[in-house]
């Protein structure tokens, strides 16, 4: 079981209110990702769930039991830290065994579980090394191993991949997704990375200044953002947001159109513009187009081989049914 | 940018280092030499360095006049006892200050240190009266408590600087892994801080071993440590320098040996944090 309900949770550090009031339901087996700009309170929220910080108000209910006052050790959750936080004075084996030892499990069972975890995480060759003798990726695996051996009610991850290089990150991302499919244990995952959020999550929670802006599946957030903030935050490159006369034509204060929903032509279209920068990624080309309809360059996605260069004149046509409309408060008009 | 070390500079610094080293070491060397002289040679002018009749007479006299072992054992009890007591209180205190600091933590630390600036004699009367009242005069227990209290600020400070270097997330990981407070401290924090704790123990043992004010004022015989042993050889009449030197050598010998073998540890402990 791994059901976590946050009810009217508040958190302040002294005078500074970080989380004003927040309700969130995390159901058993879900993969929930927290995203939001730096400093919005993602880590704080995770640490409140873990019990590493005390709530200022509200309740945290884990599997139907009020856990608000429980110390971290009693909540049955496991955490993987950004810095891995391995015990430097213990071997890999002892690191992974530590939570089992704390639980008072007998040695034979500890050995069996550690060996199994080490095998599934490809750590058997390093089992007697100290953390200092491991690479970043291996350390990350040890941290994950230490979390899975005790079969917790839920896993908490705080940007676990941000210290790894790009290639390793992709590999570990898949491993964590596989782990989730295999264990079917609730996972709460904090990240900055769009791709991690979109690919791993069952449910994304978008936070801003301690508020939940929207909760939903990755596709819901992508296709129906509730407001301009979520619209701008989910999706990469960012959605183009236009105001003024163009928005007025659609009876909105602001309209949003994603780079992949602008049709590109060199001969005709709705908006005329000049290419300022073109970024060729191989599979795609991203163009930053200066146009009189908007004071910032519009981002457009084109095919990888699209023959265009800085200074060229292009025409852009938004796909009508993919236009997002927002009112004066920034809320989506449906 | 690496500074180029010229040969000339190297010679100058070497000579300077040796000079400073010798100046610091000279009193111990002089005491050592004096302890093998006769009382007359010990006060002869001009002083003799090595060209005297080396004798073990002083050591023999001392052995016959007092029980060295009794004093030494007291020194061991007092220094180890006060250090053990100190760690029991200081480790949790330093843990709290390093890992859950508040706005006032720095103030508390400074205030603790400021107690070291009060001259000990300022509290002699109240402490003496307390000792009389509780029948603690000339008892090891009483002295252990006093030595523990006077060194506590230093132990807390040293451990605090060490603990500050340990990432808090590792302790949080231990908490998540199901460790309670006791296990967190004994199985994760303490093993990681072993070098720091070791040098703290060492320094505190040395400080307690050498502490003379309280040990002289609060003991007579039963609990008297080596400081009292030395003092007993200074007498208002007659020549006593040679015997006093021999007594001093005997008193500092154990700590000198311990210090010699652990000097690396000690230097590292005292300069820890200063280089970061
Ligand atoms: N112990 C603390 N004392 C005071 N303020 C804190 C403390 N911990 C966090 N904060 C503040 O709370 C806010 C949220 O911090 P938090 O670490 O949760 O952000 P985050 O969303 O995880 O950011 P990032 O993406 O950069 O990791 C920040 O403004 C931070 O300064
Ligand atoms: Mg964070």
């Amino acid at each position: 079981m791994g059901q976590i309900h946050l009810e009217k949770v508040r958190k302040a550090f002294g005078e500074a209110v970080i989380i004003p009031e927040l309700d969130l339901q995390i159901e058993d087996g879900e993969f929930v990702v927290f995203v939001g700009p730096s400093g919005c309170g993602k880590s704080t929220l995770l640490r409140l769930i873990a019990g590493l910080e005390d709530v200022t108000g509200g309740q945290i209910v884990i599997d139907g039991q009020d856990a608000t006052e429980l110390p971290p050790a009693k909540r049955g959750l496991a955490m993987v830290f950004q810095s891995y936080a391995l015990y430097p004075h213990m071997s890999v084996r002892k690191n992974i065994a530590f939570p089992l030892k704390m639980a008072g499990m007998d040695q034979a069972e500890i050995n069996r579980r550690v060996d199994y975890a080490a095998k599934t995480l490809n750590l058997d060759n390093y089992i007697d090394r100290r953390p200092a003798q491991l690479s970043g990726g291996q350390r990350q695996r040890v941290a994950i191993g230490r979390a899975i051996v005790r079969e917790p009610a839920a896993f908490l991850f705080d940007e676990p991949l941000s210290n790894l290089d790009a290639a390793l990150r992709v590999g570990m991302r898949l491993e964590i997704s596989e782990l989730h499919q295999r264990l079917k244990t609730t996972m709460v995952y904090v990240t900055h990375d769009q791709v991690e959020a979109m690919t791993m999550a069952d449910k994304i929670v978008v936070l801003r200044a301690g508020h939940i802006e929207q909760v939903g599946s990755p596709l819901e957030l992508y296709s129906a953002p509730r407001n301009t903030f979520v619209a701008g935050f989910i999706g990469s490159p960012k959605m183009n947001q236009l105001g003024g006369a163009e928005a007025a034509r659609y009876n909105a204060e602001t309209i949003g159109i994603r780079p992949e929903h602008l049709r590109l032509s060199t001969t005709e279209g709705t908006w005329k513009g000049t290419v300022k920068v073109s970024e060729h990624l191989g599979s795609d080309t991203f163009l930053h187009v200066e146009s009189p309809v908007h004071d910032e360059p519009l981002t457009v996605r084109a095919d990888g081989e699209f023959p265009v260069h800085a200074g060229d004149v292009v025409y852009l046509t938004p796909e009508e049914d993919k236009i997002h409309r927002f009112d004066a408060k920034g809320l989506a008009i449906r | 940018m690496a500074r180029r070390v010229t040969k000339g500079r190297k010679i100058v610094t070497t000579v300077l280092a040796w000079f400073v080293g010798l100046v610091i070491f000279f009193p111990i060397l002089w005491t050592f030499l004096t302890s093998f002289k006769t009382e007359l040679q010990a006060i002869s002018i001009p002083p003799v360095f090595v060209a005297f009749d080396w004798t073990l007479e002083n050591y023999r006299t001392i052995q016959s006049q007092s029980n060295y072992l009794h004093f030494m054992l007291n020194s061991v009890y007092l220094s180890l006892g006060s250090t053990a007591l100190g760690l029991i209180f200081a480790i949790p205190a330093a843990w709290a200050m390093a890992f859950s600091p508040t706005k006032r933590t720095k103030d508390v630390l400074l205030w603790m240190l400021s107690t070291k600036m009060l001259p000990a004699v300022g509290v002699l009367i109240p402490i003496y009266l307390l000792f009389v009242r509780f029948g603690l005069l000339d008892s090891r227990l009483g002295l252990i408590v006093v030595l523990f209290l006077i060194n506590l600020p230093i132990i807390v400070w040293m451990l605090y600087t060490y603990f500050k270097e340990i990432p808090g997330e590792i302790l949080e990981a231990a908490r998540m892994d199901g460790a309670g407070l006791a296990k967190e401290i004994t199985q994760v924090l303490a093993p990681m801080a072993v070098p720091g704790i070791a040098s703290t123990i060492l320094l505190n043992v040395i400080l307690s071993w050498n502490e003379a004010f309280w040990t002289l004022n609060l003991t007579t015989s039963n609990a008297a440590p080596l400081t009292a042993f030395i003092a007993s050889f200074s007498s208002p009449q007659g020549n006593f320098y040679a015997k006093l030197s021999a007594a001093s050598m005997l008193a500092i010998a154990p700590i000198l040996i311990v210090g010699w073998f652990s000097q690396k540890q000690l230097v590292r402990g005292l300069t820890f944090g200063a280089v970061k």
Side-chain angles (χ1 to χ4, degrees):
Chain A
M1 282 289 281
Q3 191 189 46
I4 303 168
H5 288 185
L6 307 184
E7 286 161 21
K8 295 193 169 29
V9 165
R10 275 169 42 78
K11 178 65 184 174
F13 290 107
E15 298 286 285
V17 178
I18 305 301
I19 296 173
E21 190 174 295
L22 185 144
D23 291 280
L24 179 66
Q25 323 281 324
I26 297 171
E27 301 310 331
D28 186 31
E30 261 183 337
F31 198 120
V32 176
V33 173
F34 294 169
V35 294
S38 189
C40 69
K42 305 180 293 290
S43 299
T44 305
L45 193 56
L46 200 69
R47 292 167 56 81
L48 287 172
I49 297 174
L52 294 170
E53 301 281 356
D54 294 326
V55 295
T56 310
Q59 268 198 335
I60 296 174
V61 180
I62 300 176
D63 287 336
Q65 287 196 332
D66 184 0
T68 319
E69 300 295 325
L70 284 185
K74 296 260 161 67
R75 297 194 182 190
L77 310 174
M79 184 145 167
V80 176
F81 293 83
Q82 183 174 5
S83 65
Y84 317 141
L86 301 178
Y87 309 120
H89 58 292
M90 298 181 196
S91 64
V92 169
R93 170 177 291 283
K94 291 233 170 85
N95 262 281
I96 298 179
F98 189 77
L100 303 179
K101 206 172 117 197
M102 290 300 111
M105 202 173 273
D106 75 85
Q107 195 59 45
E109 176 68 8
I110 292 181
N111 287 342
R112 201 186 59 73
R113 288 206 193 189
V114 172
D115 288 336
Y116 180 73
K119 196 173 247 146
T120 45
L121 290 165
N122 285 325
L123 284 168
D124 12 13
N125 290 333
Y126 314 105
I127 197 90
D128 291 317
R129 291 210 197 158
R130 294 276 176 97
Q133 300 163 308
L134 299 177
S135 73
Q138 290 160 348
R139 282 179 213 182
Q140 186 55 267
R141 268 178 241 272
V142 178
I144 292 175
R146 187 172 67 179
I148 58 176
V149 274
R150 45 188 280 236
E151 296 169 2
F155 293 97
L156 310 176
F157 294 90
D158 194 354
E159 305 195 29
L161 307 185
S162 59
N163 286 342
L164 301 178
D165 67 45
L168 214 51
R169 207 180 297 174
V170 174
M172 287 302 292
R173 197 173 78 209
L174 289 174
E175 278 187 48
I176 294 177
S177 288
E178 272 169 27
L179 196 70
H180 179 242
Q181 265 148 38
R182 186 154 52 82
L183 301 177
K184 303 208 173 1
T185 309
T186 310
M187 293 190 174
V188 186
Y189 190 104
V190 170
T191 184
H192 267 118
D193 189 312
Q194 284 281 328
V195 185
E196 281 174 30
M198 295 300 282
T199 55
M200 300 170 95
D202 294 323
K203 187 154 107 181
I204 297 181
V205 178
V206 184
L207 291 162
R208 174 166 62 161
H211 278 290
I212 294 182
E213 293 289 327
Q214 189 169 359
V215 180
S217 72
L219 283 182
E220 269 166 35
L221 297 197
Y222 176 83
S223 55
R226 236 183 57 191
N227 55 34
T228 47
F229 178 79
V230 177
F233 200 80
I234 298 289
S236 168
K238 269 176 76 159
M239 179 189 282
N240 300 296
Q241 295 188 5
L242 292 78
E246 290 305 320
R249 288 205 306 149
Y250 293 91
N251 277 330
E253 184 71 17
T254 311
I255 56 168
I257 182 80
R258 296 195 183 277
E260 51 274 39
H261 299 146
L262 280 170
R263 273 203 310 275
L264 190 63
S265 157
T266 47
T267 50
E268 54 172 14
T270 317
W271 299 325
K272 186 182 173 189
T274 321
V275 176
K276 202 174 153 216
V277 183
S278 68
E279 297 174 304
H280 294 275
L281 301 183
S283 58
D284 304 293
T285 302
F286 291 111
L287 305 180
H288 300 269
V289 178
E290 277 189 321
S291 162
V293 296
H294 193 40
D295 42 8
E296 279 172 47
L298 297 166
T299 317
V300 191
R301 199 204 77 131
D303 288 341
E305 274 100 59
F306 195 82
V308 75
H309 300 283
D312 290 358
V313 171
V314 290
Y315 295 88
L316 309 175
T317 312
E319 292 173 27
E320 293 291 327
D321 58 337
K322 295 287 168 57
I323 289 178
H324 302 266
R325 301 186 304 135
F326 302 99
D327 66 16
K329 285 193 189 125
L331 292 176
I333 308 169
R334 295 268 151 78
Chain B
M1 202 180 73
R3 206 188 317 163
R4 263 187 53 198
V5 183
T6 61
K7 203 164 179 196
R9 168 175 276 149
K10 208 168 182 177
I11 292 172
V12 170
T13 47
T14 309
V15 169
L16 208 67
W18 271 99
F19 177 74
V20 172
L22 278 177
V23 166
I24 292 173
F25 180 63
F26 185 76
I28 292 177
L29 177 68
W30 192 247
T31 311
F32 174 79
L33 293 174
T34 309
S35 73
F36 293 103
K37 296 173 184 175
T38 64
E39 291 294 358
L40 271 182
Q41 281 167 335
I43 53 166
S44 76
I45 291 181
V48 279
F49 261 93
V50 281
F52 54 82
D53 314 315
W54 289 68
T55 169
L56 285 174
E57 186 54 34
N58 300 315
Y59 288 93
R60 235 171 269 136
T61 322
I62 285 171
Q63 278 306 316
S64 62
Q65 277 181 14
S66 64
N67 183 358
Y68 171 73
L69 200 64
H70 167 75
F71 292 101
M72 197 195 79
L73 281 180
N74 273 341
S75 277
V76 171
Y77 290 143
L78 295 185
S79 50
L80 292 188
S82 68
T83 304
L85 203 57
L87 287 182
I88 290 171
F89 282 84
I91 289 180
W95 170 85
M97 288 176 179
F99 299 111
S100 12
T102 67
K103 267 181 270 166
R104 312 231 184 288
T105 298
K106 278 265 143 65
D107 301 341
V108 172
L109 275 165
L110 279 178
W111 167 76
M112 283 180 49
L113 204 64
S114 74
T115 62
K116 294 294 291 174
M117 293 164 197
L118 179 76
V121 72
V123 286
L124 176 61
I125 306 283
I127 293 215
Y128 191 85
L129 290 179
L130 280 173
F131 266 54
V132 172
R133 183 74 203 260
F134 290 102
L136 288 172
L137 276 181
D138 204 19
S139 75
R140 290 190 203 118
L141 179 67
L143 260 192
I144 284 179
V145 171
V146 167
L147 291 181
F148 146 67
L149 287 174
I150 62 167
N151 287 331
L152 189 60
I154 293 175
I155 310 189
V156 173
W157 260 90
M158 275 188 78
L159 289 177
Y160 169 78
T161 20
Y162 261 100
F163 290 177
K164 280 295 269 189
E165 304 286 322
I166 293 173
E169 279 198 348
I170 296 183
L171 300 189
E172 291 179 344
R175 259 168 256 171
M176 293 302 298
D177 282 345
L181 187 57
K183 291 245 166 77
E184 173 187 330
I185 290 184
T186 56
Q187 307 220 5
V188 179
L189 178 64
M192 285 172 68
V194 159
I197 293 177
S199 36
T200 307
I201 290 177
L202 205 62
L203 183 76
N204 198 60
V205 164
I206 293 174
L207 286 176
S208 317
W209 191 277
N210 293 338
E211 206 291 323
F213 180 79
W214 293 107
T215 48
L216 289 181
N217 279 304
L218 297 176
T219 63
T220 46
S221 62
N222 176 40
L226 285 168
T227 45
F229 169 77
I230 301 177
S232 70
F233 288 96
S234 92
S235 61
Q237 46 199 243
N239 290 328
F240 57 84
Y241 283 119
K243 282 196 280 298
L244 188 61
S245 298
S248 300
M249 281 324 288
L250 283 176
I252 62 176
I255 212 75
L256 217 55
I257 293 166
V258 172
W260 183 269
F261 283 111
S262 48
Q263 52 178 318
K264 266 217 188 96
Q265 220 19 279
L266 194 61
V267 169
R268 187 170 134 63
L270 291 178
T271 55
F272 194 79
V275 285
K276 277 218 169 167

